[in-house]
Amino acid sequence: MTERRRDLDALRGAAMAAMVIVNNPGSWKDMFPILKHAAWNGLTAADLVFPFFLFASGMSAAISLSKRRENQTSASLAGKILVR
């Protein structure tokens, strides 16, 4: 078994925790300004949570596929991706 990338696991876990906090801040009328999504022409920390999660998920998929590509054909990998 190969060793897990702990840094990638930590980034993905932090992004998941941040998504829970941003989507469930407690009281919607008394929430911290940093947890609110920005207006159309702005950017806050809440707006960066999902892109960080997508980055971590994409990196995990790329690392996993690169290791499996050595032993399997592209058609076999595509089939497993569709089933999953």
Side-chain angles (χ1 to χ4, degrees):
M1 183 113 195
T2 60
E3 185 177 333
R4 291 187 62 91
R5 296 291 313 246
R6 293 180 192 265
D7 52 352
L8 196 53
D9 286 341
L11 177 63
R12 191 173 36 218
M16 291 292 293
M19 279 195 279
V20 169
I21 292 170
V22 167
N23 289 329
N24 301 307
S27 171
W28 287 100
K29 66 177 185 160
D30 297 324
M31 61 190 290
F32 291 110
I34 198 168
L35 295 179
K36 293 181 182 178
H37 288 284
W40 179 253
N41 59 351
L43 182 71
T44 66
D47 299 320
L48 297 174
V49 171
F50 190 61
F52 277 126
F53 176 74
L54 287 180
F55 173 76
S57 298
M59 287 299 298
S60 297
I63 291 169
S64 176
L65 286 176
S66 69
K67 291 178 182 175
R68 293 172 189 246
R69 195 173 288 161
E70 298 170 357
N71 302 330
Q72 298 176 359
T73 64
S74 296
S76 173
L77 280 174
K80 288 184 180 185
I81 290 171
L82 287 175
V83 167
R84 192 153 208 197

